[in-house]
Amino acid sequence: MVLAVFSCRTYSLPHLLRLGFLTKQPLSLLCSGLRIRGLSVLCAQSRPRAMASSSSSWELPLVAVCQVTSTPDKQQNFKMCAELVREAARLGACLAFLPEAFDFIARDPAETLRLSEPLGGNLLEDYTQLARECGLWLSLGGFHERGQDWEQTQKIYNCHVLLNSKGSVVATYRKTHLCDVEIPGQGPMRESNSTIPGPSLESPVSTPAGKIGLAICYDMRFPELSLALAQAGAEILTYPSAFGSITGPAHWEVLLRARAIETQCYVVAAAQCGRHHEKRASYGHSMVVDPWGTVVARCSEGPGLCLARINLNYLRQVRQHMPVSQHRRPDLYGNLGNPLP
């Protein structure tokens, strides 16, 4: 339910408070096209649709989902991401999510390999300093990582890095499902030309917003992964992404809502948007979905961020009223990971 929609104007933070943003009312609030200091910022507050919540919105953690247009220019990409992260911190977020390939999007596999860095490189150091400066956690949704086997393989990992507010790396997940597809009208994608699949899942991590399960983009097409993370205790699933212009309109929102509904988790999906260079463009539409499957925050067109509050009491209510995890029959379908005949 949309209770307030604002046109594209520039507002100061006190003006936002007078307009009703970040207030104590436990109602759904979406704002479209809101801009602060030249950035597109959308705000949303999750509302239990069928169940009331007694939590004051001031008591609920606020998360920010950043949408960017990465290019091969790593310094310019960091400047844009840092601006969004600082805005998220000013607005009171405890955790900011950046999309897959937040560091860069190259023109070809050779450039991808040339621009990649190890986790101990200069770029990650810049982000650790940014996390400390802003005092918030960062989900770095897909870093082109030169792993310890770089010298042998000359390939990289697509690595989701989670930093705490002190700038320490608390978790890393290396993308396990690589996107090797040919979509008519979108061009071929061969992630495996430059990337090695990760060997394992990462256990959910406790953060100020809840327990986060790490995934990346194409992983969302595999419900087995999301169910495994939920069964391991995840309350928030993350799908930082760079969806294309054909698969985006067809699959993006429906997949994210499906993952939220079947796991009864929040789903946070930071996305790349716009044209990165002459060879590639991304769909955008970053969003947050609640455990009922409702989109409670989404970005408009172009770089910017959206905000949502995470209500874990609501999550527990959803799971209590519809205890699907207790009704599963692994004795009937325990081997869903096997290929189709």
Side-chain angles (χ1 to χ4, degrees), residues 152-305:
Q152 293 76 36
T153 65
Q154 292 295 296
K155 287 189 174 184
I156 60 174
Y157 294 96
N158 189 342
C159 184
H160 189 160
V161 183
L162 188 64
L163 303 178
N164 65 18
S165 57
K166 296 180 180 180
S168 299
V169 176
V170 296
T172 55
Y173 162 73
R174 292 163 180 88
K175 187 177 182 183
T176 51
H177 302 96
L178 301 185
C179 187
D180 287 359
V181 300
E182 292 190 21
I183 306 297
Q186 189 170 289
M189 172 70 72
R190 288 285 183 271
E191 191 172 13
S192 63
N193 284 346
S194 60
T195 306
I196 303 170
S200 62
L201 304 184
E202 177 71 18
S203 297
V205 180
S206 294
T207 76
K211 288 187 177 181
I212 290 184
L214 303 180
I216 302 174
C217 197
Y218 191 60
D219 287 333
M220 77 175 67
R221 295 184 180 276
F222 302 90
E224 301 90 345
L225 184 151
S226 61
L227 290 171
L229 291 173
Q231 289 168 359
E235 297 162 324
I236 303 167
L237 302 177
T238 59
Y239 293 103
S241 298
F243 254 55
S245 58
I246 301 298
T247 55
H251 298 159
W252 172 250
E253 181 174 328
V254 69
L255 282 170
L256 295 172
R257 294 180 69 188
R259 297 296 83 84
I261 292 168
E262 70 197 5
T263 62
Q264 298 175 317
C265 288
Y266 280 90
V267 166
V268 178
Q272 292 281 344
C273 68
R275 181 153 294 280
H276 310 288
H277 44 70
E278 65 278 5
K279 295 183 178 180
R280 187 168 173 185
S282 291
Y283 177 64
H285 295 77
S286 303
M287 65 179 62
V288 180
V289 186
D290 73 13
W292 190 253
T294 303
V295 178
V296 296
R298 70 169 79 232
C299 283
S300 60
E301 299 299 323
L305 59 84

Side-chain angles (χ1 to χ4, degrees), residues 21 41 47 57 65 72 75 78-79 88 110 114 123 135-136 157 171 174 185 196 214 232 259 263 292 299 324 326:
F21 288 92
V41 181
R47 175 196 178 191
S57 66
V65 186
Q75 289 185 337
F78 176 75
K79 182 180 178 181
R114 179 174 60 81
L123 186 62
L136 81 173
Y157 294 96
R174 292 163 180 88
I196 303 170
L214 303 180
R259 297 296 83 84
T263 62
W292 190 253
C299 283
V324 293
Q326 299 175 26

